[in-house]
Amino acid sequence: MKASSLFDVSDLVTVVTGGASGIGLAYAEAMADNGASVTIFDLDQRRLDAEAKRIGAQRVLVDVTDRNALHRAFDETVQKHRRLDVVFANAGIGGGPGFLALDGTRNVGRAFEALDPDYWDRIFKLDVEALFSTLQAAAKHMKTGKGGRIIVTTSISAVKTETVVGAPYVAAKAAAAHLVRQAALELAEYDILVNAIAPGPFVTNISGGRLQDKEVQAALAKHCPLKRLGHTDDIQGLALFLASPASKYMTGASLTVDGGTTLGSLE
Ligand SMILES: NC(=O)c1ccc[n+]([C@@H]2O[C@H](COP(=O)([O-])OP(=O)(O)OC[C@H]3O[C@@H](n4cnc5c(N)ncnc54)[C@H](O)[C@@H]3O)[C@@H](O)[C@H]2O)c1
């Protein structure tokens, strides 16, 4: 089997939520560069216009937490392309800071009992509720076709405790990870494969670009056996793998890409 057929994503009708920046943009670019027809759903008009144009993708300005608008965006995309093959459910917001600052001292304002309930609501609305709506919309359209692939960006925070991101983020990503398994079980009969990509810290625009700060990077890299944060090109191979025939017997899996962070620190 040639790698070119094994990883063939050409002509696949693909939607990437939160695809105007960071990890989602890397997925969108990997798919578009390899011949897929990509539509980015995002609420950041400026980045959406610039990046979609740059990579040759189509764009829909939508807040994925608006259930009706999200379903409309999927309906219109499918109407236009006549099918839906791949969905990257990726839109998300950051969960930091956590209860410890980078120097290990306590962040009093981010103590468990001090957390703003609105913060819990914001995170759950996007990382869990909007994910559920995205899975529903994707399943509805894929069931009427020849199946499809749904790839959800979770996080290593789904399986490990964190000091630098808050409890709501950790809980929401754990919920997202389990939702992936439940959806995978139910949708297998329709040849809809549902898998997760679980990144460790990646340099993106998340949390106002906090991970672009060199001091933050150095502090977080200490906990990573590969001694650096992820860059968005470190995740593109997984996107192609999970969208292509190479992973046709995989569903309900979670693939970690974290430079070894979940193995534990060498220090
Ligand atoms: N960067 C990391 O370290 C890291 C680690 C683990 C998991 N993740 C996850 O990766 C995913 C992508 O994050 P990123 O780091 O690329 O961040 P990012 O901020 O660079 O990109 C997120 C994109 O999602 C869009 N978005 C946010 N809310 C939206 C909404 N309601 N509707 C539509 N679009 C929306 C933003 O406009 C942005 O374009 C998130 O689910 C995040 O939790 C990131």
Side-chain angles (χ1 to χ4, degrees), residues 5-63:
S5 336
L6 206 52
F7 294 94
D8 184 13
V9 296
S10 56
D11 299 326
L12 293 181
V13 176
T14 302
V15 166
V16 185
T17 73
S21 169
I23 290 171
L25 179 57
Y27 297 153
E29 198 164 4
M31 294 295 288
D33 282 354
N34 287 282
S37 165
V38 177
T39 304
I40 296 175
F41 291 2
D42 207 290
L43 51 51
D44 183 330
Q45 174 99 66
R46 190 182 55 82
R47 281 206 178 107
L48 180 63
D49 289 347
E51 298 297 356
K53 190 166 170 212
R54 184 178 65 79
I55 69 169
Q58 291 159 71
R59 54 186 185 261
V60 177
L61 183 69
V62 61
D63 178 345

Side-chain angles (χ1 to χ4, degrees), residues 21-22 44 46-47 92-97 102 201-218 220 229-230:
S21 169
D44 183 330
R46 190 182 55 82
R47 281 206 178 107
I93 46 172
L102 292 171
F202 266 69
V203 180
T204 67
N205 291 307
I206 205 162
S207 299
R210 189 171 83 114
L211 299 186
Q212 289 167 17
D213 182 310
K214 296 284 175 221
E215 274 180 40
V216 173
Q217 288 179 12
L220 293 177
L229 269 57

Side-chain angles (χ1 to χ4, degrees), residues 149-171:
R149 305 293 178 92
I150 305 174
I151 298 134
V152 178
T153 311
T154 57
S155 168
I156 57 171
S157 306
V159 293
K160 72 186 274 296
T161 51
E162 298 283 0
T163 58
V164 294
V165 293
Y169 183 84
V170 171

Side-chain angles (χ1 to χ4, degrees), residues 238-259:
L238 279 185
L240 291 179
F241 173 64
L242 288 174
S244 67
S247 60
K248 66 184 188 310
Y249 193 55
M250 281 180 64
T251 194
S254 173
L255 301 183
T256 299
V257 51
D258 69 347

Side-chain angles (χ1 to χ4, degrees), residues 164-192:
V164 294
V165 293
Y169 183 84
V170 171
K173 287 298 186 184
H178 204 47
L179 199 52
V180 165
R181 287 189 284 271
Q182 181 68 25
L185 175 68
E186 185 173 337
L187 298 174
E189 187 180 339
Y190 308 98
D191 213 15
I192 300 170

